[in-house]
Amino acid sequence: DGGITQSPKYLFRKEGQNVTLSCEQNLNHDAMYWYRQDPGQGLRLIYYSQIVNDFQKGDIAEGYSVSREKKESFPLTVTSAQKNPTAFYLCASSIPRPGETQYFGPGTRLLVL
Amino acid sequence: AQSVTQPDIHITVSEGASLELRCNYSYGATPYLFWYVQSPGQGLQLLLKYFSGDTLVQGIKGFEAEFKRSQSSFNLRKPSVHWSDAAEYFCAVGEYNAGNMLTFGGGTRLMVKP
């Protein structure tokens, strides 16, 4: 079955630590996205990539970094510069054309120890 | 900049009652619009979308939505709610000039009374 996988389901970060969230898709989509979800705030875009080896900052990129070395993979690193990382992180993918549906993974919940 | 407002943070309806979730957007051109549903701790699932054409859009699970340009609205409706519809619902608006970027509303949490 085609879809998007995110791992781990839960992730714990210690003070000053960088952590990486995995996102893999087998939908053959060129575009991939990372969103942060906080209660009552909907989804906010962190980074997006419309093609391999290229990515752009979204609305809340500070304290995060990404790479896009393969079409299938778009890992997100939460760096120690992100002072409030506790949130639910969602990865999505789509054909990079207006009106195309974004398909979402199951999410990773990041908690700070 | 475009924005999406979902005025109702929480809604409670009785099972079998009708449902309408409101969505208003701010966008300079003709938008494309989505409704997604999210169960607790899960990702988002597409219910329906409007891109062009007929302004009344049918979706999965018996949901429909109507695009009203004059009111800048895209309200989601269901004639008879089931207990399994309890979830959070997100409206999103898309941007033509930047690939497939979406702006999401803050969400409406639906609770269903037996």
Side-chain angles (χ1 to χ4, degrees), chain B residues 7-25:
Chain B
D8 304 304
I9 297 174
H10 293 100
I11 282 186
T12 300
V13 300
S14 298
E15 190 167 17
S18 64
L19 172 70
E20 183 169 32
L21 302 182
R22 296 183 290 164
C23 173
N24 295 99
Y25 65 89

Side-chain angles (χ1 to χ4, degrees), chain A residues 1-72:
Chain A
D1 285 340
I4 301 177
T5 57
Q6 291 186 242
S7 62
K9 188 172 176 66
Y10 296 95
L11 186 58
F12 297 90
R13 193 190 91 164
K14 294 180 183 177
E15 202 71 39
Q17 187 182 37
N18 292 354
V19 293
T20 297
L21 286 62
S22 169
C23 177
E24 304 276 334
Q25 56 101 358
N26 61 4
L27 300 169
N28 200 32
H29 288 159
D30 283 310
M32 296 187 75
Y33 314 81
W34 273 107
Y35 293 93
R36 171 178 170 142
Q37 185 178 19
D38 295 282
Q41 295 195 42
L43 279 68
R44 292 181 291 167
L45 183 65
I46 305 172
Y47 268 98
Y48 65 99
S49 168
Q50 300 205 48
I51 198 165
V52 174
N53 292 322
D54 188 45
F55 49 83
Q56 286 80 41
K57 294 181 179 180
D59 299 321
I60 56 165
E62 186 174 349
Y64 301 96
S65 66
V66 293
S67 63
R68 186 84 188 277
E69 297 176 2
K70 298 187 300 181
K71 187 175 186 177
E72 303 79 20

